[in-house]
Amino acid sequence: MSGEKTKRVPKLRFPEFRGAEWVRKKLEDVAPLQRGFDLPSDLIRPGNIPIVYSNGVQKYHEIGMATAPGLVTGRSGTIGKLHFIEHGEYWPHNTSLWVTDFKSHVPRFVYYLYDAIGMGQFSSGSGVPTLNRNDVHAFSSAVPISPAEQQKIADCLTSLDELIAAQGRKVEALKTHKKGLMQQLFPREGETQPRLRFPEFRGTEEWVRAILGDLSKVVRGGSPRPIDGFLTTLADGLNWLKIGDVDKEAKYVTHTEEKVRPEALSKTRVVSPGDLILSNSMSFGRPYILQIETCIHDGWIAITDIDRMAERDFLYYSISAPNSQSYFIDNAAGSGVKNLNADIIKALQVCFPSSAEQQKIADCLSTLDELIAAQVRKVEALKTHKKGLMQQLFPSAEVDA
């Protein structure tokens, strides 16, 4: 294995390899990249061979152009994202670059090496960015001489990836369970009774049909313009909620990134803790519960002054339920970007049981949400651990001391 010996080694070494040398090599001498093969959509013949685009496997073809192991990275579109093909044939699409020769390096190690380096840094172009292959090839990185050490690093990180993937599957399984449960706990389209009721409420009073606009005040936010003229960092500033401030998977709104001057009040709308809000365009109709007082722009619609017959959390889940979401999709206006307005949301039909049954349903789904959130935190903790571990297992890109 050719290369220049280097003093720079990673901070963390497996005991059996401490003292073993690393060499600095250009990436062209580690695993050179080649452009993928064109395959227009009208030429794809369905099969079992994955076509790897810049953002991963999207379609399957009847023949392949390469054999695993393979490393594919986005050339245009999704720049620099890495995909490792472990088994069988595949087709590296021309939106990607792929490795044709690992030059005796352990393929899975090369995958993690390239990931640690970050292929996105080699993108260029003022219009549509592309991954500059020449810049990648000219970049130098330290690699261990020993294939056994390469394999050890790859095995360690692969095990961690498998753990992250398994944890991610748990999250998705819980989300699927929640979706199915909500389909049972809330009435379906054209019905006023759910398919599933808790034992203590079976045979009790029927659910009541109501219109959301009769149970609450549904109002649109407002935007002072130009917004840059109203933003402030002063202590008397008012919270200013943007779509990007809210995690789409969250239940609660807990903070804002920006504030506006008090003079903005006449051109916006203030909402309070306990109010519900939902976006009226793009990923519209997804409700959130406010835990802060904030101003909202005209991309939000607020549900305030909720009638006492409707438990707030129950109403949140009722709006999140499949039947309500289908109503929003069916009634959203616009030929291009679909959007909702306050009148569409006011007209949403909701059904209510007794307060006790509402609370039971809300508690059940809240417990499930908390379990999902806890599992998501485990995934994020594992990803953070992996990131820190990779920083220890690979030397920095600095020049040798």
Side-chain angles (χ1 to χ4, degrees):
M1 298 173 64
S2 62
E4 178 186 348
K5 291 183 180 180
T6 176
K7 299 177 183 177
R8 188 164 298 282
V9 295
K11 295 178 181 178
L12 180 63
R13 304 286 298 276
F14 294 99
E16 63 268 39
F17 300 110
R18 289 172 188 161
E21 293 179 343
W22 285 49
V23 295
R24 183 167 295 281
K25 290 186 174 185
K26 290 183 178 180
L27 295 187
E28 185 175 24
D29 297 323
V30 175
L33 296 168
Q34 301 295 328
R35 185 166 173 165
F37 302 95
D38 190 23
L39 183 60
S41 295
D42 59 357
L43 295 182
I44 296 175
R45 296 187 294 274
N48 298 318
I49 305 300
I51 306 171
V52 190
Y53 294 79
S54 64
N55 57 347
V57 177
Q58 301 295 319
K59 297 178 182 179
Y60 292 82
H61 190 44
E62 69 175 12
I63 61 173
M65 291 295 290
T67 303
L71 175 59
V72 184
T73 185
R75 178 183 64 84
S76 62
T78 306
I79 299 296
K81 187 174 182 180
L82 293 165
H83 313 279
F84 189 78
I85 310 300
E86 191 161 14
H87 302 292
E89 291 183 274
Y90 62 101
W91 186 296
H93 194 261
N94 73 337
T95 57
S96 301
L97 297 173
W98 65 296
V99 173
T100 61
D101 180 8
F102 289 95
K103 296 186 178 294
S104 76
H105 298 91
V106 174
R108 179 71 80 162
F109 169 82
V110 174
Y111 165 76
Y112 289 114
L113 173 67
Y114 278 35
D115 190 27
I117 292 169
M119 294 294 100
Q121 66 174 297
F122 303 112
S123 64
S124 61
S126 56
V128 178
T130 59
L131 186 63
N132 190 312
R133 182 174 56 182
N134 292 333
D135 287 348
V136 175
H137 286 171
F139 186 85
S140 293
S141 178
V143 297
I145 290 178
S146 168
E149 186 172 6
Q150 294 182 26
Q151 189 65 59
K152 188 82 171 184
I153 293 170
D155 290 345
C156 171
L157 293 172
T158 298
S159 295
L160 191 50
D161 272 343
E162 290 171 351
L163 183 59
I164 292 170
Q167 190 65 46
R169 288 191 293 271
K170 289 182 182 179
V171 172
E172 292 308 311
L174 285 169
K175 289 180 179 179
T176 299
H177 172 63
K178 177 187 172 185
K179 182 178 180 180
L181 185 60
M182 291 183 72
Q183 290 174 333
Q184 299 292 312
L185 288 174
F186 290 93
R188 301 185 183 187
E189 185 177 359
E191 301 177 355
T192 58
Q193 306 300 315
R195 305 291 176 92
L196 176 66
R197 297 183 77 175
F198 293 98
E200 62 267 39
F201 300 108
R202 292 170 189 164
T204 60
E205 64 266 29
E206 297 289 299
W207 286 37
V208 177
R209 190 195 305 265
I211 300 300
L212 183 59
D214 294 336
L215 295 170
S216 62
K217 181 185 292 184
V218 180
V219 291
R220 186 177 180 180
S223 298
R225 290 185 173 85
I227 185 59
D228 288 348
F230 289 88
L231 296 177
T232 183
T233 57
L234 297 178
D236 65 347
L238 309 171
N239 287 329
W240 174 245
L241 185 68
K242 306 187 302 298
I243 300 293
D245 292 332
V246 181
D247 181 349
K248 67 178 182 179
E249 299 290 336
K251 179 178 180 180
Y252 299 104
V253 176
T254 59
H255 72 284
T256 67
E257 295 294 334
E258 296 178 334
K259 295 179 181 290
V260 291
R261 293 186 286 113
E263 297 92 296
L265 274 177
S266 63
K267 300 179 183 297
T268 185
R269 187 178 299 277
V270 177
V271 285
S272 303
D275 291 340
L276 303 181
I277 61 169
L278 57 161
S279 59
N280 60 24
S281 63
M282 303 302 286
S283 56
F284 55 77
R286 169 69 163 82
Y288 304 91
I289 300 174
L290 287 167
Q291 289 189 331
I292 57 172
E293 182 174 274
T294 183
C295 300
I296 55 172
H297 66 63
D298 51 14
W300 292 109
I301 290 178
I303 301 170
T304 68
D305 300 338
I306 299 170
D307 191 284
R308 284 183 296 177
M309 74 172 285
E311 299 288 336
R312 184 202 62 190
D313 280 35
F314 174 85
L315 183 58
Y316 163 81
Y317 287 115
S318 181
I319 295 172
S320 304
N323 190 34
S324 298
Q325 293 296 304
S326 294
Y327 164 80
F328 291 146
I329 292 171
D330 292 342
N331 290 276
S335 57
V337 177
K338 299 289 186 179
N339 61 80
L340 299 174
N341 58 46
D343 288 337
I344 293 173
I345 296 172
K346 287 178 184 178
L348 174 68
Q349 177 182 287
V350 287
C351 294
F352 293 90
S354 67
S355 292
E357 189 171 0
Q358 288 183 48
Q359 192 62 59
K360 183 80 172 184
I361 292 170
D363 288 346
C364 171
L365 293 172
S366 292
T367 299
L368 192 50
D369 274 341
E370 290 168 2
L371 181 58
I372 291 171
Q375 295 297 324
V376 169
R377 288 193 293 271
K378 288 182 180 180
V379 173
E380 294 307 312
L382 286 169
K383 288 180 178 178
T384 299
H385 173 62
K386 177 189 171 185
K387 182 178 179 180
L389 185 59
M390 289 184 70
Q391 290 172 342
Q392 300 290 309
L393 287 173
F394 291 94
S396 68
E398 300 169 12
V399 297
D400 292 334

